[in-house]
Amino acid sequence: MTVAATEPPRLPVRSHAVAAERAWGGLSPMLTRLAAEKATGVLVREHGTLHLADGQVVHAESPLAPGLEILLTAHGTLSTETWRQAAQRAEDRRGAAHLLLAAGRLAEGTLQLCHLVALYDAAYFVLAPSSTPGRFRYGAAHRLGPLRPVAVAALERETVRRRDLLHRIWPDPRLDSAPLVRTDTVCPPRLTVRRQTLLDRVDGTRTATDLARALGRQAFHTLVDVRRLAAAGLVAPQGPPPPPPDPPQPPPRLPPADARTTPADDSPAVPTDPHITLLKRLRDALEAL
């Protein structure tokens, strides 16, 4: 008699990457759901939009962050006139970048890098806490040449890391949105050229994101520099300071033991449980030791 040996079932192999994705709660429940269903379209939030393709983010835009064209033209990668002509021919930014890439006026690696920088920069503001609900429009994917998409969980984790960094540098969120003013300090520290250039532009009317756009810099990195300047005592948000927190209230004090056990003269006598009376006597005896 021959007995056929059967192989035992294979145990599932745990993927740390998959486990981490499942454990991540996310900043936006709607965005998490869209990523799970591999949706394609545009998520519109209070401070900007995220473009999704198959559940991944392929582009982000926010009025608080400089766009791709500013990052490409501010430091000589492209001339403003070259970008303007391409935009006129294509009628939008997506088509302009594609035309420049196809014509060899823009290297693919440069476009990839600037696009990712602009995406993370804008997504930081898009994923900020919002007072209005977001809405999603299903539709065609955003097309801007052969660009690398970003997973939703990775984008949200980077956003959280950036929030924590700003809080550690200087925990005053008014610096991100209020006009900035210069402050006098007794012994100002020596600044890098980058931060000195930023400080020279502070005039009491422009916000940090206004300065980022004027200098052609990433908005988040400008927020970092602004908070470091604030920590050094060189800039402050315009307007009155926030009210100080309420002082901690002292804990209520218990009345003396006699007051807790003896009723007032004008109050009617209340019968007490003999067991409670015995416990109070034991407590008083222990306190007297």
Side-chain angles (χ1 to χ4, degrees):
M1 180 177 179
T2 304
V3 179
T6 59
E7 295 184 359
R10 293 185 178 182
L11 295 176
V13 179
R14 178 174 178 175
S15 171
H16 294 284
V18 173
E21 293 292 328
R22 290 177 178 175
W24 173 248
L27 296 176
S28 168
M30 177 183 288
L31 185 58
T32 301
R33 175 178 59 80
L34 293 170
E37 70 180 46
K38 299 186 181 302
T40 297
V42 181
L43 175 61
V44 181
R45 287 173 59 90
E46 182 178 6
H47 300 297
T49 58
L50 295 178
H51 297 256
L52 277 69
D54 297 327
Q56 293 185 306
V57 180
V58 295
H59 188 63
E61 296 174 343
S62 172
L64 300 175
L68 177 64
E69 68 276 14
I70 294 179
L71 297 180
L72 287 172
T73 59
H75 304 288
T77 304
L78 286 175
S79 67
T80 304
E81 181 62 22
T82 300
W83 177 268
R84 186 186 63 80
Q85 292 177 358
Q88 287 179 345
R89 291 172 55 196
E91 298 182 353
D92 62 11
R93 283 177 282 180
R94 287 174 275 180
H98 184 74
L99 287 176
L100 293 169
L101 190 67
R105 304 295 299 274
L106 185 63
E108 181 178 337
T110 302
L111 178 59
Q112 289 274 9
L113 178 61
C114 290
H115 174 260
L116 285 177
V117 167
L119 188 154
Y120 278 102
D121 204 31
Y124 174 81
F125 298 98
V126 177
L127 294 175
S130 173
S131 59
T132 59
R135 61 186 186 277
F136 187 73
R137 298 196 304 264
Y138 290 89
H142 186 284
R143 298 299 178 189
L144 190 60
L147 298 177
R148 179 180 177 182
V150 178
V152 166
L155 187 65
E156 291 186 330
R157 285 195 184 93
E158 175 61 17
T159 300
V160 172
R161 186 194 70 82
R162 294 185 177 201
R163 290 182 189 176
D164 293 341
L165 175 61
L166 290 179
H167 185 78
R168 290 196 305 269
I169 296 172
W170 190 253
D172 187 354
R174 296 179 303 150
L175 291 161
D176 300 348
S177 56
L180 300 172
V181 296
R182 300 183 64 164
T183 57
D184 296 327
T185 183
V186 177
C187 185
R190 186 174 182 180
L191 300 176
T192 63
V193 174
R194 175 185 177 87
R195 290 179 190 155
Q196 185 63 56
T197 303
L198 179 64
L199 182 61
D200 293 340
R201 298 290 186 100
V202 174
D203 58 3
T205 63
R206 289 187 284 192
T207 65
T209 54
D210 293 336
L211 295 170
R213 190 173 289 102
L215 294 170
R217 297 178 181 177
Q218 300 174 47
F220 173 75
H221 288 183
T222 304
L223 296 183
V224 171
D225 288 335
V226 165
R227 294 217 187 186
R228 293 195 186 280
L229 291 173
L234 297 175
V235 299
Q238 191 177 61
D246 295 333
Q249 298 296 326
R253 299 183 62 182
L254 293 176
D258 295 341
R260 295 197 301 265
T261 58
T262 305
D265 295 339
D266 57 351
S267 61
V270 179
T272 58
D273 191 319
H275 297 288
I276 295 178
T277 303
L278 177 60
L279 290 174
K280 289 181 177 180
R281 290 178 179 176
L282 289 174
R283 180 200 63 197
D284 295 340
L286 291 173
E287 292 178 350
L289 293 178

